[in-house]
Amino acid sequence: MPAALSGWLHAFRVYTHPRVLGMLSLGFSAGLPLLLILGTLSFWLREAGIDRSTIGHLSWIGLAYGFKWMWSPLVDRLSLPLLTRLLGRRRAWLLLSQIVIAIALTGMATTDPIENLSYMVFFALAVAFASATQDIALDAYRIEAVAPRLQGAMAATYQGGYRVAMILASAGVLWIAAAVDPSEATYDYAPWRTAYLAMAACMAVGIITTLIIREPDVPVTRLISENEDYARKAIAHWNLNARITQMLAWLYGALVAPFRDFIVRHGRQALLILALIATYRISDVVMGVMSNPFYVDMGYTKDEVATVSKVYGVIMTIAGAAIGGVLTAKIGIMRTLFLGAVLSAATNLLFVWLTGRGHDVTGLIFTISADNLSAGIASSAFIAYLSSLTNSAYSATQYALFSSVMLLLPKFIAGFSGNFVDSYGYASFFTGTALLGLPVLVLVWLAGQAKFETGNSTPDSNSPRTSSDADK
């Protein structure tokens, strides 16, 4: 066998690691809620006659993911009564958030947006906050469960499970709704109720998985202890009682130290890194809010959207994620990151082309294929990049900060997408989302140069784990 081919086959063997495989089901649990409060919900609302501007503004529900860094220190350090003792830190928070998601999805299912849109918003917000909490705990678990060399593969299998769940939360919902809908011509609430109740029941996959998996063996590290000792000594001259001193030291270790650690480790490059994180997915996120209203307005049926966009498209994303995981291992994170940024921006222009073709299923298949394949490559590289920036002493808090920064600006801009489409049309909108990706290319290049010049691969010298420990 040629050496080059043998090398690539060996690279694919990372996907046989037990914990890498296990991320499929955990990724499924994370991926299920997202579209149910964003893309699929926007389809439901548009069919119900809700105007595009309102749908665009309601996409701000997703900003809950952008602010999760605010409560991530609690998830990182706070023990839950009984659950933490029985399950461990990560699994306790996972189980609590998954149960809340199931309950809130049931609330969405039993609410007709025409009759009470405010109730729908309340339950969607509950899903968003619980889902963001699940992401905090799950990202920490993923980072702590394996050695750094397996993070690209973990990201890819996580994306695989995530995207399978997205098929269910998008195409599955549309198929269920279409199957029990007496007429596609008029809006009926009952099919959507049935579909969303089915999605609430599917959260059982995450709950069962959380009860089965083993908690990562990552004790409180020397770095955390040192930071809290530093805080206690600084507070000592205030002459407070021991309990208050201990509480303030804990708060410093949980709330301040994770962010200070990031700034200290990266120095002047910290702002560049945060700027890259804040804009890397901007093209896809801003475009995604209007994609489902676009399908409705172009005359695609629920079955067509479900089959092409939500099943075939997601399969292409999974394929892209697998390719991204291998590329990350073979050519490095930064080169794959740059490739993903180029492809993500360029493929948005295909939607401009599709706009001029009207109802064209073949054109939709081609556009979705290219767009979702590029999104999968970009996602795997980006998750691996974010994971490489964390210190395992503060994995939940720091990753939550990065993923929050990733969403804040794109989600804010996306909230005005409906207004933009109403004023300028879909073609100008999709062109604008492609142009948003151009500054990202510059930031990736600068971040790559800075990493090369400093030799900073962001190793976690304070982590007590070894590669063999993490692989168990």
Side-chain angles (χ1 to χ4, degrees):
M1 181 182 295
L5 178 60
S6 177
W8 281 100
L9 291 176
H10 180 76
F12 272 99
R13 288 180 59 189
V14 297
Y15 293 113
T16 63
H17 189 284
R19 288 199 169 182
V20 171
L21 289 172
M23 283 305 296
L24 284 170
S25 55
L26 293 173
F28 177 92
S29 180
L32 190 67
L34 183 65
L35 288 182
L36 297 176
I37 58 172
L38 294 175
T40 304
L41 180 59
S42 70
F43 197 112
W44 179 1
L45 296 177
R46 187 59 179 158
E47 189 178 82
I50 306 299
D51 62 88
R52 284 190 294 258
S53 295
T54 300
I55 293 172
H57 295 154
L58 288 178
S59 72
W60 283 332
I61 290 172
L63 284 174
Y65 295 90
F67 285 99
K68 63 186 179 183
W69 60 272
M70 297 178 67
W71 67 93
S72 61
L74 298 179
V75 179
D76 216 357
R77 298 291 305 279
L78 187 65
S79 297
L80 295 173
L82 185 62
L83 285 179
T84 299
R85 182 168 60 85
L86 293 175
L87 302 175
R89 259 193 317 168
R90 305 311 183 196
R91 294 168 66 209
W93 280 100
L94 280 174
L95 183 63
L96 176 64
S97 59
Q98 289 160 353
I99 291 173
V100 173
I101 290 169
I103 294 172
L105 285 176
T106 302
M108 291 181 67
T110 54
T111 303
D112 186 345
I114 290 181
E115 295 182 359
N116 204 325
L117 185 59
S118 60
Y119 276 21
M120 178 65 76
V121 172
F122 170 79
F123 287 122
L125 281 170
V127 172
F129 278 101
S131 178
T133 303
Q134 178 184 219
D135 286 352
I136 295 169
L138 184 51
D139 287 332
Y141 169 84
R142 176 177 51 78
I143 293 168
E144 295 168 354
V146 299
R149 63 185 176 81
L150 294 177
Q151 286 299 328
M154 288 285 276
T157 51
Y158 172 85
Q159 284 287 307
Y162 196 97
R163 299 298 174 171
V164 168
M166 292 179 75
I167 293 178
L168 187 61
S170 52
V173 169
L174 296 180
W175 277 334
I176 293 171
V180 298
D181 193 346
S183 173
E184 286 272 352
T186 58
Y187 168 70
D188 188 353
Y189 157 62
W192 291 102
R193 177 183 59 202
T194 300
Y196 266 66
L197 285 174
M199 296 302 103
C202 287
M203 280 305 298
V205 172
I207 293 172
I208 292 171
T209 302
T210 298
L211 294 173
I212 293 174
I213 61 174
R214 182 167 60 89
E215 182 80 0
D217 184 18
V218 183
V220 175
T221 68
R222 176 174 55 84
L223 178 61
I224 293 176
S225 300
E226 288 176 352
N227 279 325
E228 292 189 6
D229 288 342
Y230 167 81
R232 274 190 289 269
K233 291 176 182 177
I235 297 168
H237 70 277
W238 296 349
N239 296 320
L240 302 174
N241 66 50
R243 176 171 292 185
I244 294 178
T245 298
Q246 181 62 28
M247 181 187 68
L248 290 176
W250 185 91
L251 289 173
Y252 174 85
L255 301 176
V256 179
F259 306 113
R260 180 179 178 273
D261 169 77
F262 172 74
I263 299 298
V264 169
R265 281 191 295 123
H266 296 283
R268 293 180 302 172
Q269 306 304 328
L271 289 179
L272 173 61
I273 292 170
L274 291 176
L276 172 57
I277 293 171
T279 57
Y280 186 74
R281 300 311 310 277
I282 194 167
S283 293
D284 286 343
V285 172
V286 175
M287 188 274 287
V289 173
M290 281 294 111
S291 60
N292 279 313
F294 170 72
Y295 301 145
V296 174
D297 292 342
M298 296 298 286
Y300 295 104
T301 66
K302 284 197 283 287
D303 281 335
E304 288 172 340
V305 175
T307 302
V308 178
S309 177
K310 311 307 181 183
V311 175
Y312 178 70
V314 172
I315 291 173
M316 294 300 292
T317 305
I318 294 172
I323 294 170
V326 174
L327 287 174
T328 298
K330 291 293 290 183
I331 67 175
I333 292 176
M334 300 309 296
R335 290 188 178 91
T336 310
L337 206 64
F338 189 87
L339 175 63
V342 171
L343 294 175
S344 294
T347 52
N348 280 13
L349 295 175
L350 292 175
F351 283 89
V352 180
W353 169 76
L354 188 62
T355 301
R357 297 185 65 85
H359 183 271
D360 180 1
V361 175
T362 302
L364 180 65
I365 292 173
F366 176 74
T367 300
I368 292 299
S369 297
D371 184 65
N372 287 31
L373 188 70
S374 66
I377 294 172
S379 294
S380 282
F382 196 49
I383 291 173
Y385 177 66
L386 296 184
S387 300
S388 74
L389 298 173
T390 64
N391 184 325
S392 67
Y394 306 110
S395 52
T397 302
Q398 289 183 348
Y399 195 93
L401 170 65
F402 301 148
S403 55
S404 296
V405 170
M406 173 188 73
L407 291 173
L408 279 175
L409 180 61
K411 286 294 182 184
F412 177 75
I413 295 175
F416 299 102
S417 57
N419 303 79
F420 191 96
V421 171
D422 285 342
S423 299
Y424 302 103
Y426 282 113
S428 296
F429 171 72
F430 292 132
T431 301
T433 62
L435 294 176
L436 286 174
L438 294 180
V440 176
L441 302 179
V442 178
L443 291 172
V444 174
W445 182 81
L446 290 174
Q449 291 298 306
K451 192 170 186 177
F452 175 78
E453 290 170 2
T454 61
N456 178 21
S457 59
T458 62
D460 180 14
S461 59
N462 296 299
S463 173
R465 296 184 300 140
T466 64
S467 296
S468 58
D469 291 331
D471 290 347
K472 291 178 182 177

